[in-house]
Amino acid sequence: MDLTWDLESLYPSFQSDQFQEDLKLAETLANGLKAWAALHLKDNDNAAKQTEEFLERYNAFKRVYLCLFSYAELVFSSDSGNTEAVNSMDELEDTAAGAGEALVSFSKWLAQVSAEDLENIIQSSDYLAGHAFYLRQLQKQSQYLLSEEAETVIARMQNTGAKAWERLYMRTLSTLRADVEMEGAIRSLALPELRNLVYDSDPRVRKAAYEAEAEACRSVAEQSAACLNAVCGEAAAVYELRGYASPLHKVLAASRMDQETLEVMLQAIEESLPVFGQYYLQKAKLLGHTGPLPFYDIFAPVGGESSARITYPQAQELIVAGFSTFSAELGEFARKVFDRRWIDAEPRAGKGNFGLCVDIYPIGESRIMTSFTGSYMDVSVLAHEIGHAYHSSCLAGETMVNTDYPIPIAETASIFCESLINQKLLQSAPEGEVLVILERSLSDAGYYIVDFYARYLFESRLYNRRKSGALTVEELNSLMLEAMTAAYGDSVAPESIHPYQWISKAGYYMTGNEFLNFPYSFGLLFSKGLYAQYKKRGGDCVNQYQSFLAASSRTTIADAAELMDIDVHSLEFWRDALALIAEDILQFGAGSSFLPGSVVEQ
């Protein structure tokens, strides 16, 4: 079975006539859209016609652009040394800038239309009616746009402001290296390589890598603090100018999520922290520690090296069978993904060591990248990425602007599908693998719930403190330790938590992408909540689930959840989701005595 993907339905190559023609077409469409906006968005004498023509032009550009950029992204992800891919992505981003300016112009124009007139515009044609949610959201968000001149100034200033600081941070960390002793030799490793060693089976390697990471971060702390203060300070100032109450307010608005939903989810998470603490303490015992778990062992594997292996065809059949227990359609979709070679699962040099799903709506396909080595955890990764592709398939037939759904929803279908397969794995995997699989699942859950809760606390307090001026390295360290202690409690040895973790979390430095933490916690818990519903109601929720995914791009989170008879404002919903994880923690605690311990050599 071929473990590489087929990209021919996109383009044969960067130099192919098809790619080059689409490249020219994208530039023509972007420039044409920008010129059209400058000419026709001066008044609203014929607002319905202007709205429809803008959407048609913008969707047309997005259709071509998405194919081009997806191809470049896929090639680069599977071959990081491909300079054609890098150059193409840079060129395409420049091309997209013109279309982006036209979108700002249209948003500002739409802001001048009354709510009553907008409803009349929407009802004037079937095409516009199909874009009702998008137009209402665009008008709603337009209240936070400044004048076109001011927005242009901000965009230009950011290139030498926050984005420049972000690039400095990224360059600093990409060149940061540290020496680690492994197998009797000293190796110089980059930060991502050090981070990957947290999963190493050798406890000495894990500890050495963690300490090396802390020292590497300490060496660039002053520079990183300057970058963080600049990025956060500018974000707070710009969002205040635009009328947001805070950066968090901006993120919630962009996520189509209200404050009440966030608050009840966080309350449920806070209540669950002691249960996660039990898991970490049990893991500490398994790894040979007599007290709380040292932080360098937070992601350590348990049970020693696994010898059990599964073939790629076996993984395919297991996923198809597992998905089919939920619905025949989901099972057949998974089979199609394998049969049509939408997956690149071959491990090789130069290929990104991460899971990826790129949805290519114009051709009704997706492409998935993993590195399949034959472990049972690789099956879960495949299921996760196929879940993303299935979500995309539920939006088939939508126009380009109607395919965007918020980050909190993005992980829903993927984690739901992963949950289906984890249950299948726990039933079919060799006896020695069951608790290893269960522990890895709990480790991932703890990462997205406990660790991301700490990140949320840190970022919230960071923006609050930033109002009074720039923070020193010592103040940032103090905030980080406070947040980590609040999240992990007594289950992790406080002296083992290095305070420079605000340096290695790139999300804090990404201009325009604040609070890249709670949306992922939401995605995990919402999908668990859906799975809890499925366990209670069985096949009755299958059709509702498909309707929910189909509606996810054209409604708010709360309204989409109602399609599954879920109230995201209900504390009980979030408690039920966390109860599923608590059940797994109890199972892990009961069965972990059968695991061979990985005793730490001090």
Side-chain angles (χ1 to χ4, degrees), residues 370-569:
T370 68
S371 291
F372 187 84
T373 62
S375 76
Y376 278 83
M377 292 313 304
D378 290 341
V379 184
S380 294
V381 174
L382 273 172
H384 182 100
E385 301 304 333
I386 294 173
H388 280 303
Y390 179 69
H391 192 167
S392 169
S393 74
C394 292
L395 301 175
E398 293 284 2
T399 62
M400 294 302 95
V401 299
N402 279 344
T403 57
D404 291 333
Y405 45 86
I407 292 176
I409 292 292
E411 293 298 314
T412 299
S414 54
I415 297 176
F416 183 83
C417 285
E418 187 179 342
S419 297
L420 290 172
I421 294 308
N422 280 343
Q423 290 302 308
K424 188 75 174 174
L425 285 172
L426 292 174
Q427 295 167 7
S428 61
E431 184 176 346
E433 291 292 305
V434 170
L435 284 176
V436 175
I437 293 168
L438 182 61
E439 196 282 326
R440 181 59 187 269
S441 175
L442 289 173
S443 177
D444 290 345
Y447 178 66
Y448 284 112
I449 301 302
V450 184
D451 204 76
F452 276 51
Y453 177 67
R455 297 186 196 195
Y456 169 79
L457 292 178
F458 172 83
E459 195 162 2
S460 298
R461 295 168 183 176
L462 168 64
Y463 276 109
N464 187 51
R465 293 277 294 276
R466 185 65 181 83
K467 296 175 185 177
S468 302
L471 284 79
T472 65
V473 169
E474 291 73 22
E475 289 172 322
L476 290 167
N477 284 352
S478 178
L479 282 185
M480 190 81 257
L481 288 176
E482 287 174 10
M484 296 292 283
T485 302
Y488 285 96
D490 297 332
S491 64
V492 170
E495 70 278 4
S496 70
I497 301 175
H498 83 69
Y500 296 100
Q501 295 192 50
W502 53 271
I503 297 175
S504 60
K505 307 293 190 283
Y508 296 142
Y509 302 80
M510 295 173 68
T511 306
N513 291 282
E514 300 76 24
F515 287 96
L516 283 175
N517 34 64
F518 76 81
Y520 292 93
S521 303
F522 179 101
L524 172 70
L525 291 179
F526 190 77
S527 65
K528 292 288 186 183
L530 285 177
Y531 190 72
Q533 291 283 90
Y534 167 61
K535 288 182 70 175
K536 289 179 182 178
R537 296 161 49 200
D540 291 343
C541 69
V542 171
N543 291 333
Q544 282 180 300
Y545 180 66
Q546 293 168 335
S547 298
F548 158 75
L549 292 179
S552 60
S553 64
R554 291 191 287 117
T555 188
T556 64
I557 284 176
D559 288 344
E562 284 186 3
L563 296 173
M564 291 294 299
D565 297 325
I566 289 172
D567 178 8
V568 291
H569 299 144

